[in-house]
Amino acid sequence: MPFSILIAMLILGIFLKSPTVKGFLGELGVRFALRKLDKEKFKVIHDITLQNGEKTAQIDHIVIGTNGIFVIETKNYKGWIFGSERASKWTQTIYKSKKRFQNPIHQNYGHIKVLERSVPDFPRALISIINFSSNSTLKAIDVQSQEIHVLQTPLLVKTILSYNEEFLSAQQAEQYAGQIEQARLSGRDVKRKHVQDIKQTQQSKQKLVKGNQCPKCGQPLIARKGKHGSFKGCTAYPRCRFTA
C-alpha cells in the first residue's frame, strides 16, 4: 500500500476519533432519524442556542407535534452506560476503563427550564429524551419518571409516535415553533461564546472541587467509596447528591 494512502488513513482515523467530530456524527444520525416524522404533523428544530442569564444554553433538538413537545439531548458514546435518574454522574465503561460524565437527564432538565423561560406561556408538560448512539450499550439505566426516556437512535421516532393523545392543536404547535425560532440566538459568535461559557463553568467547578467544596450547594466534599471506585461526595447528602 502506498505510503501516502497510509498517511491519509492515519489522518482520517485521528479525525474520526475527535470528540467534536464524533459529536457531529451523532447529531447527524439523529437528524436523519427525525426526517422520518411527518412534516405536516411535526416541527423539528435543530441546534438551538438560548440566552440563560449571562450565559447561554444549547439544545440539540426540539420536536413539536400535536402529541407533545420533545426536548432531545444526544450522546455519541461507546461502551456500556450505567446511570440512574437521581445520580449526579453516570459511568461509561469500555473494557477496564471507566469514565464518569454529567447526568444527561439533569443536563436536559436544565435545558427544559431555559426553554420554558425563553418562550412566553410555554406548556409545562415537556418530554425529555436522552438519545445515545447505537455504538453504546445501555447496561443499567434506572429511570422512574414516565416523561423521561433514555434510548438509542433506532427507537427515537417510535418513542415520539408512542404519544398518541392530542396535547396541542396544529396552530399551537406552529406558534410555539415560531416563538422558539424568535428566541434562539444567531450570529457568528454565538457558538464560540457558548463554548467559552462551558469552559468557564467547568473551570470554576473544578477549582471548587479541588478545594473540597461542593459547587452545587457550597458544603464540604469528603472522600467516599462506591461500587465504581473512589469519589468525592457532598457532606450534605442526601439533600445534595453532588459527586466528583
Side-chain angles (χ1 to χ4, degrees):
M1 183 180 293
F3 182 71
S4 59
I5 295 180
L6 287 173
I7 293 297
M9 291 176 64
L10 178 61
I11 293 173
L12 179 61
I14 294 173
F15 178 74
L16 291 175
K17 288 183 179 180
S18 164
T20 301
V21 173
K22 288 193 291 186
F24 171 76
L25 293 176
E27 296 279 345
L28 197 60
V30 173
R31 289 188 184 219
F32 275 116
L34 292 176
R35 290 176 64 180
K36 297 177 184 177
L37 293 170
D38 188 336
K39 293 182 180 179
E40 297 296 322
K41 297 180 179 180
F42 295 92
K43 306 300 177 184
V44 182
I45 310 174
H46 305 288
D47 192 15
I48 308 99
T49 302
L50 299 173
Q51 196 68 44
N52 183 23
E54 295 182 356
K55 298 182 179 181
T56 56
Q58 190 270 332
I59 302 173
D60 293 332
H61 315 275
I62 301 174
V63 176
I64 305 176
T66 56
N67 64 337
I69 298 174
F70 306 84
V71 182
I72 304 169
E73 171 70 19
T74 63
K75 297 296 181 186
N76 192 32
Y77 289 176
K78 293 182 179 180
W80 289 359
I81 306 298
F82 300 84
S84 67
E85 183 177 346
R86 293 187 177 183
S88 61
K89 297 284 186 180
W90 285 20
T91 303
Q92 174 194 31
T93 301
I94 302 177
Y95 299 109
K96 293 184 179 180
S97 174
K98 295 181 180 180
K99 180 181 178 181
R100 291 166 65 80
F101 60 97
Q102 182 182 354
N103 184 338
I105 293 176
H106 294 177
Q107 188 178 2
N108 212 32
Y109 175 80
H111 294 164
I112 289 172
K113 289 302 175 184
V114 173
L115 185 59
E116 290 175 344
R117 291 194 297 267
S118 300
V119 179
D121 302 321
F122 207 68
R124 299 300 179 191
L126 281 78
I127 299 137
S128 175
I129 297 180
I130 312 302
N131 183 92
F132 284 86
S133 71
S134 299
N135 293 327
S136 64
T137 299
L138 303 181
K139 196 67 176 177
I141 305 296
D142 180 18
V143 177
Q144 303 297 323
S145 302
Q146 294 183 349
E147 303 308 315
I148 298 175
H149 301 273
V150 180
L151 47 76
Q152 293 171 303
T153 305
L155 291 176
L156 178 58
V157 170
K158 182 179 179 180
T159 299
I160 292 173
L161 295 177
S162 70
Y163 286 79
N164 48 28
E165 293 184 12
E166 185 169 299
F167 176 65
L168 301 170
S169 67
Q171 184 179 2
Q172 286 176 314
E174 185 77 35
Q175 175 187 344
Y176 287 128
Q179 289 179 330
I180 292 172
E181 290 288 2
Q182 289 180 353
R184 75 188 303 177
L185 302 176
S186 61
R188 186 177 301 175
D189 296 330
V190 169
K191 184 69 68 175
R192 184 176 62 183
K193 184 180 184 303
H194 179 65
V195 172
Q196 289 175 343
D197 288 344
I198 293 175
K199 287 182 178 179
Q200 289 176 357
T201 300
Q202 289 300 320
Q203 288 172 356
S204 298
K205 182 182 291 186
Q206 289 171 4
K207 186 176 180 180
L208 290 171
V209 171
K210 189 175 181 180
N212 292 320
Q213 182 179 357
C214 177
K216 188 173 181 180
C217 72
Q219 296 299 311
L221 297 176
I222 59 173
R224 299 182 184 274
K225 287 187 177 181
K227 60 181 179 180
H228 297 299
S230 300
F231 64 95
K232 289 184 178 182
C234 184
T235 53
Y237 178 88
R239 180 170 53 83
C240 177
R241 296 177 178 268
F242 177 82
T243 59

